[in-house]
Amino acid sequence: MLKSAVAVLLFSTIAVAQDAAMFRGNPEHTGVYNAAGAPQFHSLKWKFETKAQLHSSPAVANGVVYVGSTSRNLLAVDLETGKLKWKFETGARIVSSPAVVDGVVYVASYDGNFYAVDAVTGKEKWKFKTGGEKRFAAPHLHGSTPVTETMPDPFDSYLSSPVVVAGVVYFGSGDTNVYALNAADGSLKWKFKTGDVVHASPALADGTLYVGSWDSYFYAIDAATGKEKWKLKTGEDHDIYNQVGIQSSAAVADGVVYFGCRDSNFYAVDAKTGEKKWAFNNKGSWVISSPAVKDGRVYFATSDTGLVYALDLNGKEVWHFDGKHWVVFSSPAIAGNTLYLGSHAGKLRAIDLTSGKLAWEFETDGSKANGAGLTKPDGTPNYEAAFHTNFYDDMVAGVQIMLKTGAILGSPVVSGDTVIFASSDGNVYAVR
């Protein structure tokens, strides 16, 4: 747990063949890719410079990488050459991971619109206006001052990423709703209201949509009708609103839903009944990372403690990898016997699934340029260099200072022998 105001500040994104065309690889969000991956590092294939921060995960379809940017643009980059094919401008930053289905790219923007864009030409097909985007906000947030001021959370890093199945696109919004739209024309099929911001990405399995909200509830919603099937209550924090809210997107496998929560628990829930099967407690560390599930194990990362866990399906630890307290919001991607994961340290790490040992790592340009000044001699982050006081403005500024490390907030994606990821240093990287 972030036990004091200062501690809070210091520690506080449909697979076809080898494509990675949807957040977490498939509608169930298992994070597993049908690709060879790169169990050994060979080379940097290319680097595409955007000159803006990149927070979300890329998508790959038909030889093109699609990624959103804080410059307000949705970008399409050639997978082989790293050259820009087109860009589509919205009214505000894009921190939603796009989905690409049947030649259309679907993505949300902070301008309050949800867009459908032609994947080949970059031309708008339609847009749907939500009730507007906003971050989760609360008074005395993370112990900051002024105590009575309601503060948007600077760690609310993403917008909901869409899942598209059978001609319907589903996503959450800062207006507290979960939406279902007709994928062909953007017309509303239904909307489901929660009690707060929904920036987690829905997972869909067996006709049910699974998604968490910042109101501390996790919901199962009938995908056809938009009616609630069940909901599960997670932790609350009405003091500094630190240990509350669901940013993690769920994964569904073999009748079980897995998701993380800012109450520091990682949950396994019966997909049909909503009954909690078990919870793995992370001793106060948020779980923003969305899980990956493969071959009887579930994998996720913690934020404050920077750990990567492999658990068996009974919630027992198999192994963990220590990231030296570098915050991890990135979600694991699995291809073959290797797990790929980014961190706020500006490093992409490849971890062997069997041993939990590091196979290789790749350092971003931002990390090379600024990592030394924000890293202590023992390899742990120098948060004191960024977060000077517990005043809210200083917390916001400190987040931006730490992002100078070329942090990898989104999930990597794997296509063939190439791992593609985006960084806060403004670059999209393709390594193999």
Side-chain angles (χ1 to χ4, degrees):
M1 189 168 84
L2 303 182
K3 295 183 173 72
S4 67
V6 174
V8 168
L9 297 182
L10 298 185
F11 292 109
S12 287
T13 134
I14 297 174
V16 180
Q18 292 189 340
D19 279 354
M22 188 176 298
F23 181 63
R24 312 301 295 130
N26 49 43
E28 298 82 12
H29 287 172
T30 57
V32 178
Y33 296 90
N34 179 26
Q40 294 180 336
F41 176 73
H42 175 65
S43 64
L44 173 65
K45 184 174 181 179
W46 51 257
K47 176 180 67 178
F48 178 79
E49 299 182 23
T50 70
K51 303 188 186 305
Q53 289 186 1
L54 306 174
H55 291 188
S56 61
S57 311
V60 179
N62 300 315
V64 181
V65 178
Y66 302 91
V67 66
S69 161
T70 59
S71 67
R72 308 185 299 180
N73 290 309
L74 174 67
L75 305 166
V77 179
D78 188 275
L79 176 61
E80 287 305 311
T81 67
K83 303 297 184 183
L84 180 69
K85 296 179 75 69
W86 54 255
K87 63 181 179 180
F88 172 82
E89 186 174 358
T90 70
R93 59 177 50 199
I94 300 175
V95 291
S96 165
S97 301
V100 190
V101 178
D102 295 334
V104 181
V105 188
Y106 301 92
V107 73
S109 168
Y110 250 113
D111 66 8
N113 291 306
F114 186 89
Y115 292 89
V117 179
D118 187 283
V120 175
T121 66
K123 303 298 183 184
E124 181 182 309
K125 295 180 73 69
W126 54 258
K127 67 181 177 183
F128 175 86
K129 188 170 184 57
T130 69
E133 274 301 339
K134 63 180 179 182
R135 287 191 171 110
F136 170 72
H140 197 29
L141 185 71
H142 309 319
S144 294
T145 56
V147 172
T148 58
E149 182 177 342
T150 298
M151 308 164 181
D153 194 333
F155 300 107
D156 183 359
S157 302
Y158 315 104
L159 296 184
S160 180
S161 300
V163 60
V164 187
V165 176
V168 183
V169 54
Y170 306 89
F171 64 97
S173 172
D175 68 7
T176 75
N177 289 305
V178 179
Y179 287 95
L181 307 182
N182 186 310
D185 59 14
S187 58
L188 179 68
K189 294 181 72 68
W190 54 256
K191 63 180 179 180
F192 176 87
K193 187 171 182 58
T194 75
D196 214 317
V197 168
V198 182
H199 284 161
S201 300
L204 193 149
D206 299 323
T208 304
L209 204 67
Y210 300 94
V211 67
S213 168
W214 233 290
D215 65 5
S216 78
Y217 282 95
F218 186 86
Y219 296 90
I221 306 166
D222 187 284
T225 65
K227 302 299 184 184
E228 181 183 306
K229 289 189 170 184
W230 54 257
K231 64 182 179 181
L232 175 75
K233 186 76 165 60
T234 61
E236 290 186 305
D237 175 3
H238 296 296
D239 180 16
I240 61 173
Y241 296 86
N242 177 261
Q243 296 281 293
V244 64
I246 302 170
Q247 281 176 277
S248 170
S249 301
V252 190
D254 300 321
V256 181
V257 185
Y258 303 94
F259 68 94
C261 185
R262 293 215 322 194
D263 70 3
S264 85
N265 288 303
F266 181 80
Y267 291 91
V269 180
D270 187 284
K272 186 169 291 186
T273 67
E275 179 182 357
K276 184 173 73 175
K277 296 174 73 68
W278 49 262
F280 185 89
N281 186 270
N282 295 282
K283 300 177 182 179
S285 184
W286 298 342
V287 184
I288 309 303
S289 173
S290 301
V293 188
K294 184 183 181 186
D295 297 338
R297 292 184 184 178
V298 57
Y299 304 86
F300 69 95
T302 63
S303 61
D304 312 54
T305 51
L307 299 173
V308 184
Y309 282 102
L311 308 182
D312 69 21
L313 300 188
N314 293 313
K316 304 300 181 183
E317 181 180 329
V318 178
W319 54 255
H320 74 265
F321 174 86
D322 189 351
K324 291 186 175 291
H325 288 272
W326 277 98
V327 168
V328 179
F329 282 11
S330 178
S331 302
I334 294 174
N337 198 49
T338 307
L339 178 150
Y340 305 92
L341 184 72
S343 86
H344 279 53
K347 294 179 179 179
L348 176 78
R349 294 184 169 118
I351 301 170
D352 182 87
L353 288 186
T354 303
S355 66
K357 303 297 183 182
L358 183 68
W360 56 266
E361 68 180 18
F362 176 88
E363 188 174 16
T364 64
D365 289 356
S367 179
K368 292 175 183 176
N370 304 309
L374 293 168
T375 304
K376 295 178 179 179
D378 63 358
T380 60
N382 184 9
Y383 289 120
E384 292 84 354
F387 298 100
H388 305 298
T389 76
N390 68 340
F391 192 70
Y392 173 73
D393 293 1
D394 292 335
M395 176 173 66
V396 174
V399 170
Q400 290 303 311
I401 291 171
M402 293 307 299
L403 290 180
K404 290 181 179 179
T405 58
I408 304 165
L409 281 72
S411 176
V413 297
V414 188
S415 181
D417 66 350
T418 304
V419 183
I420 306 102
F421 62 97
S423 167
S424 65
D425 69 7
N427 293 315
V428 182
Y429 295 89
V431 298
R432 59 185 177 185

